[in-house]
Amino acid sequence: MNIAPILIGIGQGFIYAITCIFFIWLVKQVDDWRTRDFDDDRHIDDGNLAVGLRRAGLYLGISIALSGALSGTSGGFFLDLIQLIVDGLIITGFLFSSRFINDFIMMGHLKNDLECVKEFTLADGRKITGNTALGTVEASMYIATGFILKGSLAGGGGTFFQSLVSAVLFFVLGQIALLVFGFVYELITPFNVRQEIKQNNLAAGIGLGGILIALGIILMGSISGPFTGWGTDLAGFAIYTAYGMVMLLIFRSVLDRILLPTTSLAIEIKEDQNVAALIVVESAIAAVAVIIAFSM
């Protein structure tokens, strides 16, 4: 048995892994600089869950996106490594752009950075630092964006320029889809979702964040695959986006009745602030999204 190709593959995989870890370190440095008015590391050390969640979402988002850059047809080790570095820089820029979109549009009346270090008083009188509900939504936007970028960077076909334009275009369209879906979700929910998140209702944050991640997974499935032409790819994206939104809303209603037969999601979120119930339901919705994405 010739083990040389195996050892070479392991060595190349190690270099790819080190490159990806470098980008995780890079986004940490960028976010540290961006939030230089307060020390994120100190807040994490002090147990600030909101800051921990948003950082975790950032690291997961870039890792998911980089997995898309690592897939597809190989052009040789050195060419693939250069492509990974270029894609990593693009992904870094896109992830921080998604944070801006989340801060100023999705949660337009809130300031994420200030909310995540703000002091809140719980119903039992305990004081905590950081809006964990908002931190959850921001983390979810990072993760959903990571799935969208994974889909746009995976596959093959087309030139390098077409791949670059495709990544930019589908990132923009993906962010629009997330914003539209977030708006639709708020319209059909019988309470003010943003107000609940502002009041640090973690269940509300999980509800919104979970369904955004689920849509991101479906959008990944609609984008993935070889480049077949702008008209075909854009039409497919539009159709699958609409299909995914409708399916998620239908299955969410079904799961509400199946998993919470004695109550409803609206009651569990607004009145009971039941984090456990929301984790169960949103995990089931994410599972449905995975099935939908891989069935397309």
Side-chain angles (χ1 to χ4, degrees):
M1 177 180 178
N2 185 6
I3 66 169
I6 297 175
L7 295 176
I8 291 172
I10 291 174
Q12 292 176 349
F14 177 76
I15 293 174
Y16 292 144
I18 292 298
T19 304
C20 292
I21 291 172
F22 164 77
F23 279 107
I24 294 174
W25 173 84
L26 178 62
V27 296
K28 180 188 185 306
Q29 299 308 307
V30 173
D31 211 35
D32 283 343
W33 173 82
R34 191 188 62 77
T35 58
R36 57 193 178 277
D37 291 339
F38 55 88
D39 188 344
D40 276 5
D41 290 333
R42 182 181 62 79
H43 277 280
I44 293 172
D45 288 343
D46 291 342
N48 186 328
L49 185 57
V51 174
L53 282 168
R54 67 204 300 230
R55 277 297 176 94
L58 176 60
Y59 300 154
L60 279 172
I62 194 166
S63 299
I64 292 168
L66 285 169
S67 71
L70 288 167
S71 63
T73 305
S74 173
F77 171 68
F78 290 106
L79 185 60
D80 289 350
L81 183 59
I82 292 171
Q83 182 73 59
L84 177 61
I85 293 170
V86 172
D87 288 342
L89 293 172
I90 293 170
I91 290 167
T92 299
F94 282 162
L95 283 175
F96 283 106
S97 296
S98 75
R99 194 214 68 81
F100 178 86
I101 291 169
N102 177 71
D103 199 348
F104 290 95
I105 302 178
M106 180 72 76
M107 298 282 107
H109 66 307
L110 299 176
K111 294 184 181 297
N112 290 23
D113 290 339
L114 295 179
E115 287 288 319
C116 285
V117 295
K118 180 180 177 181
E119 189 174 86
F120 289 85
T121 302
L122 302 180
D124 59 6
R126 290 184 296 119
K127 293 184 181 295
I128 64 168
T129 301
N131 188 329
T132 53
L134 188 59
T136 299
V137 175
E138 183 172 330
S140 301
M141 279 290 284
Y142 282 136
I143 294 170
T145 300
F147 280 117
I148 293 169
L149 291 172
K150 172 180 169 60
S152 66
L153 293 170
T159 64
F160 171 76
F161 176 74
Q162 287 173 330
S163 298
L164 180 61
V165 173
S166 175
V168 174
L169 179 60
F170 285 116
F171 165 76
V172 173
L173 293 176
Q175 294 301 302
I176 292 172
L178 291 174
L179 290 172
V180 169
F181 197 44
F183 178 71
V184 171
Y185 173 78
E186 186 156 8
L187 280 180
I188 64 173
T189 303
F191 54 84
N192 190 322
V193 176
R194 294 186 183 185
Q195 186 62 30
E196 291 298 317
I197 292 172
K198 183 178 181 180
Q199 294 173 356
N200 200 12
N201 182 341
L202 181 55
I206 294 172
L208 176 58
I211 206 162
L212 291 177
I213 291 175
L215 181 62
I217 293 171
I218 292 176
L219 294 180
M220 173 194 68
S222 72
I223 300 169
S224 296
F227 178 80
T228 57
W230 292 114
T232 302
D233 287 354
L234 289 173
F237 176 83
I239 292 170
Y240 282 124
T241 298
Y243 167 75
M245 288 182 180
V246 172
M247 287 297 99
L248 283 178
L249 293 176
I250 291 174
F251 279 110
R252 192 174 193 274
S253 178
V254 172
L255 290 171
D256 185 358
R257 288 165 173 77
I258 293 174
L259 301 180
L260 302 173
T262 61
T263 182
S264 69
L265 276 174
I267 292 174
E268 293 302 308
I269 293 173
K270 180 168 175 55
E271 296 182 15
D272 297 341
Q273 299 190 14
N274 190 334
V275 172
L278 265 294
I279 289 175
V280 170
V281 172
E282 296 305 327
S283 296
I285 291 172
V288 169
V290 171
I291 295 170
I292 293 173
F294 285 92
S295 67
M296 294 191 296

